[in-house]
Amino acid sequence: MAAPHAHPHPHPHPHPHPQQVGPGGPPGPNVLQQFNGDPAMQALLDSLPTRTVPFAFVEAPIPNTQPPQSQQMVVCAEHKLPSCDACNVNYTALNYMHQFLRTAPPEAIPPPPNVQPPPQRAEQIKQAKEAGNVAFKAGNIPVAVQNYSRSADMALSRPPWELAQLSKEETSIALCNRSAAFHLAGAWANALADAEAVIALRRPWTKGHFRRARALVGLGRFEEAHDAIIDGLQFEPEDKELNAFLAEVDAKIEEQNKL
Amino acid sequence: MATSLAVPIAYITVLVTSLAIFSRIYRRRQAAEKTSFEPWFPAHPARDIYITLLSADPPVPESMLKSALLVRATADVKRIWRIKEDKQALMGLHERGLVGDDTMSRFTTAEKELEAEIVDVVSEANTFRQGWGAMIFATASEMAHAEKTRDTVINIAKVKALEEKRLSLRAKLLGLPIIQQQLQQQQQPSPAKLSPAASPAVSAPGSPQPGSIQLDSGASTPSKNTPKKTKTASKKK
């Protein structure tokens, strides 16, 4: 078992790890040795029920590649679906992850999250956002929305092992701007949906609350807009923008009550 | 003479047998009750997938196995979050006697199982490459966070549909003005279609104020807006 990759295919089914219980024990972290020396835990692990899931491989074409490439996908054995209710299996997450690992060399493992990701993608995401801003300023809302969506998509399709905080921030900025663009176009339902996503992603960020309040005003729901602003003010009570807008909304509510 | 002995013996036999049967059934039921807790977490599909792929007969490519292990670790990370959350609430409830011992024992079993599961994932990771076990859960936790972000964004469409449904309901109940607003958003007729008298009145309550749009300064004037409305609505999704 001197090979660095001694890893038994086929795996003896419910869980004994023969190569590790061997003499001398693995040189790995002490937690591993503890585990191997603990028959109770091993027994517990073996007692856990497992189910053999039906699966099959298919070659699925990857969209938007030139020349057309294909990738291996795991699907359910019977219906050839990646997510199948009848077979009670869902391979979506697995296939998603495999997209990122399939081209990696065999020994490669995902880097730990504290490794800095290559800066190109951040640059691209920023560029898309800037293009959106330019279109927004020029008043070309459809192009602005398109660019913001592209920026958000790119931020979301970062490799999943990278720092999640980064992708979250980039996504929320793009969505916040998209909400503003929708607002300008009068598409208030879209603006509201985007603003709510921004809040879910970054609650302490006042801009999300501001956008939500504006969308609600657009929908004519002043009371809710008032509450949204109060929500935002919890995080930054001195925020000028929010306070100004709060006064505006309150004036509107009063006006409405007079009628 | 013979009868006088046979009757008490029969009596005792019947008594002892019936007691024995009763005791056996009773104890079996008790034991079943003690071990038949519904598990804290229903099943672990990611673990099943990994084990199935690992023991598949024509060996599965290694990148697939690694992906499966990462997905399994991500599922475990979510369980860790859940256990942490549940623990505080349960402890409080248990102290006040609102939650029984059986629930607590279910919970402790789940905790132990999760611990074993984590150690197992770590050792599996080390079989792919020595030392990966120390990092896999850091990676998995980022993956779980990233998944949350993705779910939030996917949810946008649902929220939007809900809001639009609500809008149309409101339009039905309140009448004309909101119907007009609705038209602007959803079907985007050309601005000419909207009667000029109606459209300013409709957009008045919620018309965007260019001065306060925070993204850029001087974004646009309302007059610029009107033609845009039509275009955007078509590509809203």
mmCIF file with all atom_site columns, all heavy atoms in Angstrom, chain B residues 4 16 22 25 44 47 69 84 87 107 158 178 181 186:
data_model
loop_
_atom_site.group_PDB
_atom_site.id
_atom_site.type_symbol
_atom_site.label_atom_id
_atom_site.label_alt_id
_atom_site.label_comp_id
_atom_site.label_asym_id
_atom_site.label_entity_id
_atom_site.label_seq_id
_atom_site.pdbx_PDB_ins_code
_atom_site.Cartn_x
_atom_site.Cartn_y
_atom_site.Cartn_z
_atom_site.occupancy
_atom_site.B_iso_or_equiv
_atom_site.pdbx_formal_charge
_atom_site.auth_seq_id
_atom_site.auth_comp_id
_atom_site.auth_asym_id
_atom_site.auth_atom_id
_atom_site.pdbx_PDB_model_num
ATOM 1   N N   . SER B 1 4   ? -55.878 -35.627 41.228  1.00 0.00 ? 4   SER B N   1
ATOM 2   C CA  . SER B 1 4   ? -55.572 -34.559 42.178  1.00 0.00 ? 4   SER B CA  1
ATOM 3   C C   . SER B 1 4   ? -54.187 -33.938 41.911  1.00 0.00 ? 4   SER B C   1
ATOM 4   O O   . SER B 1 4   ? -53.968 -32.760 42.206  1.00 0.00 ? 4   SER B O   1
ATOM 5   C CB  . SER B 1 4   ? -55.642 -35.086 43.596  1.00 0.00 ? 4   SER B CB  1
ATOM 6   O OG  . SER B 1 4   ? -54.674 -36.092 43.768  1.00 0.00 ? 4   SER B OG  1
ATOM 7   N N   . VAL B 1 16  ? -47.646 -20.345 34.191  1.00 0.00 ? 16  VAL B N   1
ATOM 8   C CA  . VAL B 1 16  ? -46.263 -19.975 33.857  1.00 0.00 ? 16  VAL B CA  1
ATOM 9   C C   . VAL B 1 16  ? -46.141 -19.667 32.381  1.00 0.00 ? 16  VAL B C   1
ATOM 10  O O   . VAL B 1 16  ? -45.531 -18.655 31.970  1.00 0.00 ? 16  VAL B O   1
ATOM 11  C CB  . VAL B 1 16  ? -45.293 -21.100 34.277  1.00 0.00 ? 16  VAL B CB  1
ATOM 12  C CG1 . VAL B 1 16  ? -43.927 -20.877 33.669  1.00 0.00 ? 16  VAL B CG1 1
ATOM 13  C CG2 . VAL B 1 16  ? -45.204 -21.170 35.785  1.00 0.00 ? 16  VAL B CG2 1
ATOM 14  N N   . PHE B 1 22  ? -46.574 -13.432 27.912  1.00 0.00 ? 22  PHE B N   1
ATOM 15  C CA  . PHE B 1 22  ? -46.865 -12.020 28.116  1.00 0.00 ? 22  PHE B CA  1
ATOM 16  C C   . PHE B 1 22  ? -45.573 -11.222 28.253  1.00 0.00 ? 22  PHE B C   1
ATOM 17  O O   . PHE B 1 22  ? -45.373 -10.194 27.605  1.00 0.00 ? 22  PHE B O   1
ATOM 18  C CB  . PHE B 1 22  ? -47.724 -11.836 29.369  1.00 0.00 ? 22  PHE B CB  1
ATOM 19  C CG  . PHE B 1 22  ? -47.865 -10.397 29.763  1.00 0.00 ? 22  PHE B CG  1
ATOM 20  C CD1 . PHE B 1 22  ? -48.735 -9.574  29.062  1.00 0.00 ? 22  PHE B CD1 1
ATOM 21  C CD2 . PHE B 1 22  ? -47.112 -9.861  30.798  1.00 0.00 ? 22  PHE B CD2 1
ATOM 22  C CE1 . PHE B 1 22  ? -48.851 -8.247  29.399  1.00 0.00 ? 22  PHE B CE1 1
ATOM 23  C CE2 . PHE B 1 22  ? -47.224 -8.540  31.133  1.00 0.00 ? 22  PHE B CE2 1
ATOM 24  C CZ  . PHE B 1 22  ? -48.107 -7.725  30.442  1.00 0.00 ? 22  PHE B CZ  1
ATOM 25  N N   . ILE B 1 25  ? -43.672 -10.837 24.915  1.00 0.00 ? 25  ILE B N   1
ATOM 26  C CA  . ILE B 1 25  ? -44.262 -9.873  23.982  1.00 0.00 ? 25  ILE B CA  1
ATOM 27  C C   . ILE B 1 25  ? -44.070 -8.458  24.487  1.00 0.00 ? 25  ILE B C   1
ATOM 28  O O   . ILE B 1 25  ? -43.693 -7.542  23.751  1.00 0.00 ? 25  ILE B O   1
ATOM 29  C CB  . ILE B 1 25  ? -45.769 -10.176 23.784  1.00 0.00 ? 25  ILE B CB  1
ATOM 30  C CG1 . ILE B 1 25  ? -45.930 -11.477 23.025  1.00 0.00 ? 25  ILE B CG1 1
ATOM 31  C CG2 . ILE B 1 25  ? -46.465 -9.044  23.041  1.00 0.00 ? 25  ILE B CG2 1
ATOM 32  C CD1 . ILE B 1 25  ? -47.352 -11.949 22.908  1.00 0.00 ? 25  ILE B CD1 1
ATOM 33  N N   . HIS B 1 44  ? -29.532 10.037  3.717   1.00 0.00 ? 44  HIS B N   1
ATOM 34  C CA  . HIS B 1 44  ? -28.386 10.800  3.259   1.00 0.00 ? 44  HIS B CA  1
ATOM 35  C C   . HIS B 1 44  ? -28.123 10.449  1.802   1.00 0.00 ? 44  HIS B C   1
ATOM 36  O O   . HIS B 1 44  ? -27.252 9.639   1.508   1.00 0.00 ? 44  HIS B O   1
ATOM 37  C CB  . HIS B 1 44  ? -27.181 10.465  4.135   1.00 0.00 ? 44  HIS B CB  1
ATOM 38  C CG  . HIS B 1 44  ? -26.128 11.509  4.091   1.00 0.00 ? 44  HIS B CG  1
ATOM 39  N ND1 . HIS B 1 44  ? -25.842 12.215  2.939   1.00 0.00 ? 44  HIS B ND1 1
ATOM 40  C CD2 . HIS B 1 44  ? -25.285 11.984  5.042   1.00 0.00 ? 44  HIS B CD2 1
ATOM 41  C CE1 . HIS B 1 44  ? -24.863 13.062  3.208   1.00 0.00 ? 44  HIS B CE1 1
ATOM 42  N NE2 . HIS B 1 44  ? -24.523 12.950  4.478   1.00 0.00 ? 44  HIS B NE2 1
ATOM 43  N N   . ARG B 1 47  ? -24.547 10.580  0.420   1.00 0.00 ? 47  ARG B N   1
ATOM 44  C CA  . ARG B 1 47  ? -23.694 9.493   0.877   1.00 0.00 ? 47  ARG B CA  1
ATOM 45  C C   . ARG B 1 47  ? -23.982 8.224   0.082   1.00 0.00 ? 47  ARG B C   1
ATOM 46  O O   . ARG B 1 47  ? -23.067 7.505   -0.340  1.00 0.00 ? 47  ARG B O   1
ATOM 47  C CB  . ARG B 1 47  ? -23.978 9.263   2.360   1.00 0.00 ? 47  ARG B CB  1
ATOM 48  C CG  . ARG B 1 47  ? -23.210 8.175   3.010   1.00 0.00 ? 47  ARG B CG  1
ATOM 49  C CD  . ARG B 1 47  ? -23.418 8.246   4.508   1.00 0.00 ? 47  ARG B CD  1
ATOM 50  N NE  . ARG B 1 47  ? -22.709 7.175   5.161   1.00 0.00 ? 47  ARG B NE  1
ATOM 51  C CZ  . ARG B 1 47  ? -23.273 6.022   5.497   1.00 0.00 ? 47  ARG B CZ  1
ATOM 52  N NH1 . ARG B 1 47  ? -24.540 5.806   5.248   1.00 0.00 ? 47  ARG B NH1 1
ATOM 53  N NH2 . ARG B 1 47  ? -22.571 5.089   6.083   1.00 0.00 ? 47  ARG B NH2 1
ATOM 54  N N   . LEU B 1 69  ? -17.817 13.021  -3.556  1.00 0.00 ? 69  LEU B N   1
ATOM 55  C CA  . LEU B 1 69  ? -17.379 13.192  -2.163  1.00 0.00 ? 69  LEU B CA  1
ATOM 56  C C   . LEU B 1 69  ? -17.586 14.646  -1.715  1.00 0.00 ? 69  LEU B C   1
ATOM 57  O O   . LEU B 1 69  ? -18.007 14.907  -0.588  1.00 0.00 ? 69  LEU B O   1
ATOM 58  C CB  . LEU B 1 69  ? -15.914 12.790  -2.029  1.00 0.00 ? 69  LEU B CB  1
ATOM 59  C CG  . LEU B 1 69  ? -15.380 12.789  -0.601  1.00 0.00 ? 69  LEU B CG  1
ATOM 60  C CD1 . LEU B 1 69  ? -16.156 11.825  0.261   1.00 0.00 ? 69  LEU B CD1 1
ATOM 61  C CD2 . LEU B 1 69  ? -13.916 12.453  -0.561  1.00 0.00 ? 69  LEU B CD2 1
ATOM 62  N N   . LYS B 1 84  ? -26.360 22.494  14.852  1.00 0.00 ? 84  LYS B N   1
ATOM 63  C CA  . LYS B 1 84  ? -25.980 23.601  15.740  1.00 0.00 ? 84  LYS B CA  1
ATOM 64  C C   . LYS B 1 84  ? -27.207 24.422  16.119  1.00 0.00 ? 84  LYS B C   1
ATOM 65  O O   . LYS B 1 84  ? -27.382 24.803  17.265  1.00 0.00 ? 84  LYS B O   1
ATOM 66  C CB  . LYS B 1 84  ? -24.967 24.492  15.040  1.00 0.00 ? 84  LYS B CB  1
ATOM 67  C CG  . LYS B 1 84  ? -23.550 24.131  15.384  1.00 0.00 ? 84  LYS B CG  1
ATOM 68  C CD  . LYS B 1 84  ? -22.611 25.182  14.834  1.00 0.00 ? 84  LYS B CD  1
ATOM 69  C CE  . LYS B 1 84  ? -21.191 24.656  14.828  1.00 0.00 ? 84  LYS B CE  1
ATOM 70  N NZ  . LYS B 1 84  ? -20.362 25.361  13.835  1.00 0.00 ? 84  LYS B NZ  1
ATOM 71  N N   . LYS B 1 87  ? -29.558 22.447  18.372  1.00 0.00 ? 87  LYS B N   1
ATOM 72  C CA  . LYS B 1 87  ? -29.046 22.112  19.692  1.00 0.00 ? 87  LYS B CA  1
ATOM 73  C C   . LYS B 1 87  ? -29.449 23.170  20.717  1.00 0.00 ? 87  LYS B C   1
ATOM 74  O O   . LYS B 1 87  ? -29.943 22.838  21.800  1.00 0.00 ? 87  LYS B O   1
ATOM 75  C CB  . LYS B 1 87  ? -27.525 21.980  19.649  1.00 0.00 ? 87  LYS B CB  1
ATOM 76  C CG  . LYS B 1 87  ? -26.966 21.426  20.929  1.00 0.00 ? 87  LYS B CG  1
ATOM 77  C CD  . LYS B 1 87  ? -25.562 20.961  20.760  1.00 0.00 ? 87  LYS B CD  1
ATOM 78  C CE  . LYS B 1 87  ? -25.176 20.168  21.998  1.00 0.00 ? 87  LYS B CE  1
ATOM 79  N NZ  . LYS B 1 87  ? -23.911 19.493  21.835  1.00 0.00 ? 87  LYS B NZ  1
ATOM 80  N N   . PHE B 1 107 ? -31.675 13.066  19.298  1.00 0.00 ? 107 PHE B N   1
ATOM 81  C CA  . PHE B 1 107 ? -30.756 14.122  18.877  1.00 0.00 ? 107 PHE B CA  1
ATOM 82  C C   . PHE B 1 107 ? -29.304 13.719  19.111  1.00 0.00 ? 107 PHE B C   1
ATOM 83  O O   . PHE B 1 107 ? -28.450 13.892  18.245  1.00 0.00 ? 107 PHE B O   1
ATOM 84  C CB  . PHE B 1 107 ? -31.090 15.409  19.625  1.00 0.00 ? 107 PHE B CB  1
ATOM 85  C CG  . PHE B 1 107 ? -30.237 16.568  19.224  1.00 0.00 ? 107 PHE B CG  1
ATOM 86  C CD1 . PHE B 1 107 ? -30.457 17.196  18.015  1.00 0.00 ? 107 PHE B CD1 1
ATOM 87  C CD2 . PHE B 1 107 ? -29.217 17.017  20.039  1.00 0.00 ? 107 PHE B CD2 1
ATOM 88  C CE1 . PHE B 1 107 ? -29.668 18.262  17.623  1.00 0.00 ? 107 PHE B CE1 1
ATOM 89  C CE2 . PHE B 1 107 ? -28.433 18.085  19.649  1.00 0.00 ? 107 PHE B CE2 1
ATOM 90  C CZ  . PHE B 1 107 ? -28.659 18.700  18.445  1.00 0.00 ? 107 PHE B CZ  1
ATOM 91  N N   . LYS B 1 158 ? -39.401 33.291  -9.013  1.00 0.00 ? 158 LYS B N   1
ATOM 92  C CA  . LYS B 1 158 ? -40.614 32.919  -8.266  1.00 0.00 ? 158 LYS B CA  1
ATOM 93  C C   . LYS B 1 158 ? -41.211 34.141  -7.589  1.00 0.00 ? 158 LYS B C   1
ATOM 94  O O   . LYS B 1 158 ? -42.428 34.359  -7.620  1.00 0.00 ? 158 LYS B O   1
ATOM 95  C CB  . LYS B 1 158 ? -40.262 31.869  -7.207  1.00 0.00 ? 158 LYS B CB  1
ATOM 96  C CG  . LYS B 1 158 ? -40.398 30.456  -7.713  1.00 0.00 ? 158 LYS B CG  1
ATOM 97  C CD  . LYS B 1 158 ? -40.181 29.500  -6.553  1.00 0.00 ? 158 LYS B CD  1
ATOM 98  C CE  . LYS B 1 158 ? -39.320 28.331  -6.977  1.00 0.00 ? 158 LYS B CE  1
ATOM 99  N NZ  . LYS B 1 158 ? -38.539 27.773  -5.887  1.00 0.00 ? 158 LYS B NZ  1
ATOM 100 N N   . ILE B 1 178 ? -54.652 50.609  -12.141 1.00 0.00 ? 178 ILE B N   1
ATOM 101 C CA  . ILE B 1 178 ? -53.579 49.633  -11.994 1.00 0.00 ? 178 ILE B CA  1
ATOM 102 C C   . ILE B 1 178 ? -53.532 48.688  -13.178 1.00 0.00 ? 178 ILE B C   1
ATOM 103 O O   . ILE B 1 178 ? -52.480 48.183  -13.533 1.00 0.00 ? 178 ILE B O   1
ATOM 104 C CB  . ILE B 1 178 ? -53.719 48.918  -10.650 1.00 0.00 ? 178 ILE B CB  1
ATOM 105 C CG1 . ILE B 1 178 ? -53.575 49.982  -9.579  1.00 0.00 ? 178 ILE B CG1 1
ATOM 106 C CG2 . ILE B 1 178 ? -52.653 47.875  -10.472 1.00 0.00 ? 178 ILE B CG2 1
ATOM 107 C CD1 . ILE B 1 178 ? -53.835 49.514  -8.213  1.00 0.00 ? 178 ILE B CD1 1
ATOM 108 N N   . GLN B 1 181 ? -51.203 50.316  -15.450 1.00 0.00 ? 181 GLN B N   1
ATOM 109 C CA  . GLN B 1 181 ? -49.832 50.121  -14.997 1.00 0.00 ? 181 GLN B CA  1
ATOM 110 C C   . GLN B 1 181 ? -49.355 48.718  -15.337 1.00 0.00 ? 181 GLN B C   1
ATOM 111 O O   . GLN B 1 181 ? -48.235 48.486  -15.756 1.00 0.00 ? 181 GLN B O   1
ATOM 112 C CB  . GLN B 1 181 ? -49.809 50.323  -13.487 1.00 0.00 ? 181 GLN B CB  1
ATOM 113 C CG  . GLN B 1 181 ? -48.432 50.356  -12.884 1.00 0.00 ? 181 GLN B CG  1
ATOM 114 C CD  . GLN B 1 181 ? -48.554 50.562  -11.399 1.00 0.00 ? 181 GLN B CD  1
ATOM 115 O OE1 . GLN B 1 181 ? -49.452 51.258  -10.951 1.00 0.00 ? 181 GLN B OE1 1
ATOM 116 N NE2 . GLN B 1 181 ? -47.696 49.977  -10.647 1.00 0.00 ? 181 GLN B NE2 1
ATOM 117 N N   . GLN B 1 186 ? -46.375 44.388  -18.302 1.00 0.00 ? 186 GLN B N   1
ATOM 118 C CA  . GLN B 1 186 ? -46.368 42.999  -18.733 1.00 0.00 ? 186 GLN B CA  1
ATOM 119 C C   . GLN B 1 186 ? -46.437 42.839  -20.229 1.00 0.00 ? 186 GLN B C   1
ATOM 120 O O   . GLN B 1 186 ? -45.649 42.107  -20.806 1.00 0.00 ? 186 GLN B O   1
ATOM 121 C CB  . GLN B 1 186 ? -47.526 42.266  -18.090 1.00 0.00 ? 186 GLN B CB  1
ATOM 122 C CG  . GLN B 1 186 ? -47.250 42.003  -16.645 1.00 0.00 ? 186 GLN B CG  1
ATOM 123 C CD  . GLN B 1 186 ? -48.197 40.997  -16.099 1.00 0.00 ? 186 GLN B CD  1
ATOM 124 O OE1 . GLN B 1 186 ? -49.353 40.960  -16.505 1.00 0.00 ? 186 GLN B OE1 1
ATOM 125 N NE2 . GLN B 1 186 ? -47.736 40.163  -15.204 1.00 0.00 ? 186 GLN B NE2 1
#
